[in-house]
Amino acid sequence: MTQVTDPQVTEHGGGVWSIKVPIPDNPLGFTLVHLLDTDAGPVLIDTGWDDPTSWDALATGLAACGTSADAVHGVVITHHHPDHHGLSAKVREASGAWIAMHEADASVVRRTRTGPPARWFDYMVEKLTAAGAPADHLAPLLAARDAGRAPRLPGMAAALPDRDITPGELLELPGRRLRAIWTPGHTPGHVCLHLEEEHPARLPGHGRLFSGDHLLPGITPHIGLYEDPDDETITDPLGDYIDSLERIGRLGPAEVLPAHQYAFTDAPARVREILAHHEERLTDLLALLAEPLTPWQLAERMEWNRPWAEIRYGSRNIAVSEAEAHVRRLVKLGRAEAVGSDPVRYRAV
C-alpha cells in the first residue's frame, strides 16, 4: 500500500484505512468504508451507497491506498442498510470477492429481494394502521399497491452474501485477528468487528473496534423494527441494543472506528452517554403516556431534530417505528401497558 495523500482517505496505521464514500442527499454526508490489509489481499468493511458518485469515490479512495476494487479479497458487512451494503454487488462483480453478513440481516435481504411488491405495501399498511396512522398517510401506500407499482426504495435488490458471520468467532482473514461481535438493535444482525491486535500508537485498551452504526461519537443510531411479516414474535430491539451496547462498553477498545463521523477513544464513556440518552427518552415517553396514546400520536409528540410538520413522509414511518420500539421497551420493563385495540394505545403504569 502507498502513502495516502487523498483528503477523503485516512490512514489509521497497522494496515487500516478509512474512505469517505458520499451518501446522496443525506445529512449524514458519507459512510466511512474501512480497508483492512490482509495476507490474502485487501478486505473492505462495508462498501457505501449504490450511486455512481459513491462508486467513483470508493474507487478513488482505493487507488489512494494503492489498490483497486478488482483486487478486493472480501467484503464484511456490519449491517444490511444501503449506505453500508449498497456497493457490495459491484465490488464482487469487479473482483470476485466474497461477501459476509450475519444471518439475521441476510434474512432481511432475502425477504426483501423475493417478496412481491404488494406484500410489502400490505405489511406497511398493516403496521401503520396498527400504530394509529391517519388515513391520509396510508392513502399513497394503498394507491401504489393497487396500481401494482414496485416500492421505490434503496436496497430492494441488495447483494446476497456468500458467507455467514458467526458471532464470537474470528473471521477467516489471513494474518489478522478480526472477531465478530453480534450487536443487534439498529438492525437484527448488526455486528461490530473487534481487531484483536495492539493499537499501532499503543493507546491503552483492547485493540480497535469497527463499530458500524452501533456506536457513533456524536449521534445515536435509529432503533426500529425489522420484523418478518409471517412471524408474530414481538421483538424488543431497544432492549437488544442496550444489552449489546453494554457488552461493547465492557470490551473497552483502545479506539473505535465507526461507519460515520470520525474515529474516537473512550468507548465506555460514549456508551454511558447513549444509555443515559435512552433512559431520558423513556422517562419523557412515560410523561406523555399519562394519557393513552398510539405509537403515531407518541411520534407526533416526541422530540426529533425538526418539528413533526417538517418531517418528510418516509421519515415519519421511521419515527413511528422508533416510537414503537421505545414503548415496547417500557411494556417489557413493566412501566407501560397496552389498552384497547384498533389501534392499540399505551399508557404509563
Side-chain angles (χ1 to χ4, degrees):
M1 299 285 182
T2 60
Q3 185 175 2
V4 173
T5 58
D6 188 331
Q8 302 305 308
V9 176
T10 300
E11 185 171 2
H12 296 280
V16 176
W17 295 260
S18 61
I19 302 168
K20 291 183 177 180
V21 177
I23 311 171
D25 301 319
N26 189 294
L28 279 174
F30 55 84
T31 301
L32 290 170
V33 172
H34 289 94
L35 172 64
L36 180 64
D37 198 15
T38 80
D39 290 347
V43 167
L44 297 182
I45 298 175
D46 294 335
T47 57
W49 193 274
D50 184 6
D51 179 83
T53 301
S54 306
W55 175 253
D56 290 345
L58 178 61
T60 300
L62 290 171
C65 296
T67 188
S68 60
D70 59 9
V72 172
H73 172 62
V75 175
V76 183
I77 298 299
T78 61
H79 62 295
H80 71 82
H81 284 167
D83 56 325
H84 297 258
H85 184 42
L87 286 171
S88 300
K90 289 189 177 181
V91 172
R92 182 165 60 189
E93 289 168 8
S95 63
W98 48 261
I99 300 172
M101 181 184 290
H102 188 282
E103 169 56 28
D105 269 23
S107 177
V108 176
V109 172
R110 287 194 297 271
R111 190 165 70 238
T112 303
R113 287 174 58 100
T114 59
R119 184 68 185 99
W120 184 88
F121 285 119
D122 285 341
Y123 172 70
M124 288 299 298
V125 169
E126 290 167 10
K127 292 295 296 181
L128 288 166
T129 299
D136 62 348
H137 188 83
L138 300 174
L141 293 170
L142 291 168
R145 181 200 63 187
D146 294 343
R149 293 199 296 270
R152 294 183 179 181
L153 297 171
M156 296 300 288
L160 290 170
D162 310 287
R163 298 185 181 185
D164 290 337
I165 293 177
T166 304
E169 292 189 1
L170 291 171
L171 277 74
E172 296 181 15
L173 304 181
R176 309 307 298 245
R177 289 186 58 85
L178 188 69
R179 191 176 303 276
I181 305 173
W182 185 32
T183 50
H186 182 54
T187 70
H190 190 290
V191 293
C192 292
L193 300 153
H194 186 208
L195 190 59
E196 298 179 340
E197 301 169 11
E198 184 179 39
H199 192 283
R202 299 178 183 257
L203 296 180
H206 305 287
R208 289 182 280 180
L209 185 76
F210 300 100
S211 65
D213 281 2
H214 184 69
L215 188 62
L216 302 168
I219 54 178
T220 56
H222 165 66
I223 307 298
L225 306 175
Y226 289 92
E227 296 169 322
D228 185 339
D230 299 319
D231 187 343
E232 296 183 359
T233 303
I234 303 299
T235 61
D236 178 22
L238 181 56
D240 293 339
Y241 178 68
I242 288 171
D243 289 345
S244 53
L245 194 64
E246 290 174 336
R247 287 202 306 275
I248 292 302
R250 292 191 294 270
L251 180 67
E255 187 176 26
V256 180
L257 303 174
H260 302 288
Q261 298 191 300
Y262 49 85
F264 63 101
T265 57
D266 202 351
R270 182 58 183 146
V271 165
R272 290 192 294 271
E273 289 176 355
I274 297 176
L275 291 174
H277 161 79
H278 282 292
E279 186 56 40
E280 180 180 357
R281 192 156 218 193
L282 291 172
T283 300
D284 290 344
L285 288 185
L286 278 175
L288 292 173
L289 292 174
E291 60 174 313
L293 296 173
T294 66
W296 182 277
Q297 291 169 329
L298 266 180
E300 289 179 315
R301 292 161 172 77
M302 290 170 68
E303 289 190 16
W304 306 103
N305 60 0
R306 68 195 69 183
W308 182 257
E310 298 177 13
I311 296 178
R312 296 179 179 179
Y313 182 92
S315 296
R316 288 189 176 193
N317 295 338
I318 294 171
V320 172
S321 178
E322 179 137 344
E324 185 167 349
H326 278 74
V327 79
R328 285 189 188 186
R329 185 63 186 155
L330 288 172
V331 170
K332 188 160 187 178
L333 292 171
R335 297 160 72 180
E337 64 181 1
V339 293
S341 60
D342 300 324
V344 175
R345 288 172 169 78
Y346 296 87
R347 68 182 176 194
V349 175

